[in-house]
Amino acid sequence: LSGDGGDELFGGYPHYAEMGRLTALKKQYTSLGLNFYKWLRNSRLINYNESADVFYELRGFKKSWEGNTDYATVLKYLHEVTDTSLALYGSNNDEIYRLMLFDRFVWLANENFIRSDKLYMSQSMEMRCPLAYQPLRSYMDEHIDASEYIHKDSNKIFLRNLYTGKLPDYITKRKDKTGWRAPVAV
């Protein structure tokens, strides 16, 4: 069993926290003001009203794509994915949730599953990803409030609260992600 899909379900990636900070800034400033501030800081224009543009910026892809003629095509595809995903899974306007949907449709399937599949197959192992199971995701999306994704300096608030006192603090209170690699060892 793999935890693939958990970050996209419970708000585990650092760029979700950054989206939370951007959302708070958008409430203080207009999108134009925020864009100008970020342009002064990063020398890049980002349309903060466009989820696809923000997605690329937060994932660190925007800078590497600047000037690339395929960028407009990819951005158009991401807009279609967003529209489709919101039509399928509701019109939750929470920015972190929208970014999680982007990751589910673009990053999880096209990057994580392919990498994990190759990794496990190289070890002659079969992998299952229960956290990526659509009925579970739909259920959790309906029952987890947006405030349970990110809070202050922590992520996955829902899981941390659920397992505090049941798992050791070094697990529930850790800040950094821990990874794994092949070959798999005990």
Side-chain angles (χ1 to χ4, degrees), residues 108-124:
L108 184 64
N110 293 329
E111 183 73 23
N112 283 4
F113 288 152
I114 291 170
R115 179 193 62 221
S116 295
D117 194 38
K118 288 178 182 178
L119 180 84
Y120 282 96
M121 285 174 56
S122 74
Q123 301 300 312
S124 299

Side-chain angles (χ1 to χ4, degrees), residues 64-79:
S64 65
W65 275 79
E66 284 181 308
N68 188 318
T69 56
D70 294 331
Y71 180 73
T73 304
V74 172
L75 200 58
K76 181 180 179 224
Y77 167 74
L78 288 176
H79 284 291

Side-chain angles (χ1 to χ4, degrees), residues 47-92:
N47 184 349
Y48 288 96
N49 290 324
E50 295 291 341
S51 296
D53 222 19
V54 174
F55 168 81
Y56 258 124
E57 176 64 23
L58 292 178
R59 296 292 274 163
F61 300 141
K62 179 87 174 181
K63 189 174 184 177
S64 65
W65 275 79
E66 284 181 308
N68 188 318
T69 56
D70 294 331
Y71 180 73
T73 304
V74 172
L75 200 58
K76 181 180 179 224
Y77 167 74
L78 288 176
H79 284 291
E80 291 170 8
V81 167
T82 303
D83 295 343
T84 302
S85 63
L86 290 175
L88 290 172
Y89 303 110
S91 57
N92 185 337

Side-chain angles (χ1 to χ4, degrees), residues 12-186:
Y13 286 125
H15 56 273
Y16 299 149
E18 180 63 22
M19 177 57 86
R21 288 188 282 279
L22 284 175
T23 301
L25 282 173
K26 277 173 51 176
K27 289 179 182 174
Q28 290 180 328
Y29 305 102
T30 64
S31 287
L32 183 62
L34 180 60
N35 199 3
F36 181 70
Y37 166 74
K38 289 290 195 174
W39 175 75
L40 286 175
R41 219 166 147 214
N42 302 328
S43 301
R44 287 194 306 276
L45 287 175
I46 296 130
N47 184 349
Y48 288 96
N49 290 324
E50 295 291 341
S51 296
D53 222 19
V54 174
F55 168 81
Y56 258 124
E57 176 64 23
L58 292 178
R59 296 292 274 163
F61 300 141
K62 179 87 174 181
K63 189 174 184 177
S64 65
W65 275 79
E66 284 181 308
N68 188 318
T69 56
D70 294 331
Y71 180 73
T73 304
V74 172
L75 200 58
K76 181 180 179 224
Y77 167 74
L78 288 176
H79 284 291
E80 291 170 8
V81 167
T82 303
D83 295 343
T84 302
S85 63
L86 290 175
L88 290 172
Y89 303 110
S91 57
N92 185 337
N93 287 326
D94 179 72
E95 295 289 338
I96 295 172
Y97 178 75
R98 293 171 64 91
L99 192 55
M100 287 168 42
L101 284 179
F102 260 150
D103 277 344
R104 289 177 191 176
F105 278 86
V106 177
W107 173 254
L108 184 64
N110 293 329
E111 183 73 23
N112 283 4
F113 288 152
I114 291 170
R115 179 193 62 221
S116 295
D117 194 38
K118 288 178 182 178
L119 180 84
Y120 282 96
M121 285 174 56
S122 74
Q123 301 300 312
S124 299
M125 296 175 69
E126 184 78 19
M127 180 182 73
R128 294 289 182 253
C129 306
L131 297 177
Y133 183 54
Q134 181 53 46
L136 175 65
R137 286 193 316 213
S138 294
Y139 178 84
M140 297 308 285
D141 287 348
E142 291 173 13
H143 290 87
I144 296 179
D145 187 72
S147 65
E148 294 179 289
Y149 297 133
I150 307 290
H151 179 63
K152 292 185 183 176
D153 295 328
S154 193
N155 60 2
K156 298 182 186 176
I157 301 303
F158 175 79
L159 290 178
R160 292 178 191 277
N161 290 340
L162 185 66
Y163 288 106
T164 295
K166 297 177 180 110
L167 291 174
D169 285 351
Y170 70 84
I171 294 174
T172 59
K173 293 187 180 357
R174 71 177 167 82
K175 298 284 183 197
D176 297 327
K177 292 180 70 71
T178 55
W180 45 269
R181 60 181 58 101
V184 177
V186 176

